Amino acid sequence: MSKKQSISEDTLLKMGLHRNADGSYSKAKTTLQPREKEQVIVKNNELRKITITLFGEPMAKQSVRSTKSGHFFQPKKYVDKEKDYRNQIAKQLPKDFVMFTEEARILKLHFIYPPLKAFHKIKGRMEQIKDGILFPKTTKPDVCDNLKKLPLDSMSKLVYSDDSIIWAEDNVRKFYGTGGCVIIEIEGK
């Protein structure tokens, strides 16, 4: 039984996907353009929700490095990527957005990678990707730690006060699809 066949239909529905006849997964057509400001400021301490799309190929963040003299540093490419993400986040936040300070829950965290060169050799695969179909990415980096770290660190002090207030992460996935981006849906108060 292949990995594609082992996913239950219920799980696919929760992910917003359905299985095609060829065994691939498809999702309602989405555009990778920033969405209109979905943030609704809610009064009376109710949960608020926001969706952010970070453009660029997802990158796993490595631990800090140290020199022989004991100096600790983060490689420049990670510092630059975090600055880029922070700029993108700031541009997508509504002007009247108030950061989450009590609690936050990641409802969706999807990492979309550009298609592999080998996909061009598979008949119809690129057309499916252009139509918005996502294919599961089962290779490195793993989703558990390093891949989530960069976008979540980038949202700190912009979307939420500190990442310690995140109490749940649901629907964390990585796919091959059109372009490269990270789609984050988060709710909190």
Side-chain angles (χ1 to χ4, degrees), residues 124-154:
R125 179 64 52 97
M126 290 308 296
E127 288 76 22
Q128 291 173 320
I129 286 177
K130 288 176 186 173
D131 288 340
I133 296 173
L134 300 172
F135 293 88
K137 181 178 184 332
T138 57
T139 58
K140 289 185 177 186
D142 64 338
V143 174
C144 293
D145 240 357
N146 297 345
L147 194 55
K148 296 185 298 188
K149 188 158 181 53
L150 192 57
L152 296 182
D153 285 353
S154 300

Side-chain angles (χ1 to χ4, degrees), residues 12 17 42 52 57 77 87 106 113 155 180 187:
L12 290 173
L17 301 172
V42 180
I52 297 170
E57 186 171 338
K77 69 179 183 177
N87 287 334
I106 305 292
Y113 284 85
M155 290 191 301
E187 73 175 3

